[in-house]
Amino acid sequence: MAVSWRSWLANEGVKHLCLFIWLSLNVLLFWKAFLLYNQGPEYHYLHQMLGCPTETKATFGVHLKIVGDWTERFRDLLLPPSNQDSEILPVIQSRKYPKLYIDGPFGSPFEESLNYEVSLCVAGGIGVTPFASILNTLLDDWKPYKLRRLYFIWVCRDIQSFRWFADLLCVLHNKFWQENRPDYVNIQLYLSQTDGIQKIIGEKYQALNSRLFIGRPRWKLLFDEIAKCNRGKTVGVFCCGPNSISKTLHKLSNRNNSYGTRFEYNKESFS
């Protein structure tokens, strides 16, 4: 016996309508959260900004790039107007800061850079953040690891971006010079957009200024040089940056060379 439309609506319609509304709201919330996570530049810079502690340090630093409304409002919550140009969060006893929740720690493919005898680490802009833990680990003690030579390439559009980790790079550079191992870390900084010759301000950054180049890296020549200096070895290639850089490094890693050097490519998603 056929059930009439009015009878079905009276008995089942309300239940199905409520179910449809509930499913629609869940789908809407899912897509809103998904788009915020994957496309929102503010959230991107938030989830890429953390540097993990090392075995000898129980604290971590937070590096936040102010891009867009979300990060601007977050800055306003943390800094009074008079201190918004400060690079370090001031300690203000009377100020009530928001409570932050942090997930982690999470592993990273860049941890494998310590397990190669030679590693090439390439960062593009804020993509330098995953390498901070590796550099801090070497600063604590490099001897327990297999790594004996690190090529560190960092490409930025503006000169001020290099100051995010300029102090860390200088301390690391000086450490290996004092230990008579100047070839352990090869630092190359590239300023891709500039109107003229610029320097990282500060006398203490002189070691980095001598490693600052104008323009973009000549990747093929760089790979040829590394292959020539490390004949017959396996070089770990690690990249966190724009897809254009990642694709170029991947292609060059798969290219044969006449020195018997093998390049193994690794990457971490930049977005």
Side-chain angles (χ1 to χ4, degrees):
M1 177 174 149
V3 179
S4 68
W5 181 82
R6 289 185 179 181
S7 177
W8 176 86
L9 183 62
N11 295 319
E12 302 289 339
V14 175
K15 182 171 66 175
H16 283 76
L17 179 61
C18 291
L19 180 61
F20 175 77
I21 294 175
W22 180 81
L23 288 173
S24 299
L25 288 174
N26 276 273
V27 171
L28 178 63
L29 290 174
F30 169 79
W31 278 107
K32 184 177 180 180
F34 178 81
L35 293 175
L36 175 65
Y37 184 88
N38 285 278
Q39 296 182 7
E42 296 87 359
Y43 190 91
H44 165 77
Y45 284 111
L46 181 63
H47 98 267
Q48 291 279 4
M49 70 183 181
L50 300 178
C52 297
T54 63
E55 293 183 0
T56 60
K57 295 166 65 177
T59 59
F60 61 84
V62 177
H63 299 267
L64 176 64
K65 186 173 182 179
I66 308 302
V67 179
D69 297 338
W70 194 95
T71 46
E72 288 178 357
R73 291 196 299 270
F74 186 57
R75 176 200 59 192
D76 295 341
L77 287 173
L78 299 178
L79 295 174
S82 60
N83 292 93
Q84 289 191 354
D85 291 332
S86 175
E87 294 184 359
I88 301 177
L89 181 66
V91 178
I92 304 175
Q93 300 295 339
S94 60
R95 189 173 181 85
K96 185 178 180 180
Y97 293 109
K99 183 180 292 186
L100 303 179
Y101 296 90
I102 301 173
D103 289 333
F106 300 104
S108 169
F110 297 149
E111 296 173 11
E112 290 298 315
S113 63
L114 300 172
N115 296 326
Y116 288 89
E117 185 176 348
V118 182
S119 287
L120 168 62
C121 295
V122 179
I126 195 67
V128 71
T129 49
F131 295 110
S133 297
I134 303 301
L135 299 178
N136 272 305
T137 298
L138 295 177
L139 188 60
D140 289 341
D141 188 9
W142 57 271
K143 296 181 180 68
Y145 304 101
K146 184 178 179 180
L147 184 66
R148 289 298 177 265
R149 177 169 295 179
L150 173 65
Y151 295 88
F152 181 75
I153 314 297
W154 188 8
V155 185
C156 288
R157 292 181 178 180
D158 59 273
I159 194 71
Q160 293 301 322
S161 297
F162 291 119
R163 301 197 65 177
W164 294 336
F165 294 103
D167 290 327
L168 173 60
L169 292 174
C170 282
V171 172
L172 191 66
H173 171 267
N174 293 334
K175 169 188 172 66
F176 287 111
W177 271 82
Q178 292 172 4
E179 296 182 6
N180 197 28
R181 298 188 66 90
D183 295 333
Y184 190 99
V185 178
N186 185 321
I187 300 173
Q188 298 181 30
L189 309 178
Y190 289 86
L191 185 61
S192 61
Q193 296 182 7
T194 180
D195 295 330
I197 298 177
Q198 299 188 42
K199 292 184 178 181
I200 304 174
I201 300 175
E203 185 65 28
K204 62 180 180 179
Y205 300 135
Q206 185 59 38
L208 296 185
N209 287 326
S210 63
R211 288 159 175 78
L212 178 62
F213 303 92
I214 305 300
R216 301 180 184 276
R218 302 174 68 178
W219 297 115
K220 185 178 181 301
L221 290 179
L222 177 65
F223 269 72
D224 289 341
E225 178 186 351
I226 294 176
K228 184 178 180 180
C229 295
N230 301 277
R231 297 170 185 261
K233 295 181 179 179
T234 299
V235 179
V237 181
F238 300 84
C239 173
C240 186
N243 284 331
S244 58
I245 295 180
S246 179
K247 290 179 180 178
T248 300
L249 298 183
H250 195 182
K251 182 178 180 180
L252 289 172
S253 297
N254 293 331
R255 186 175 63 95
N256 293 326
N257 60 79
S258 59
Y259 305 104
T261 306
R262 179 185 175 191
F263 292 91
E264 292 186 351
Y265 179 77
N266 305 265
K267 71 166 289 188
E268 181 163 304
S269 179
F270 188 70
S271 58

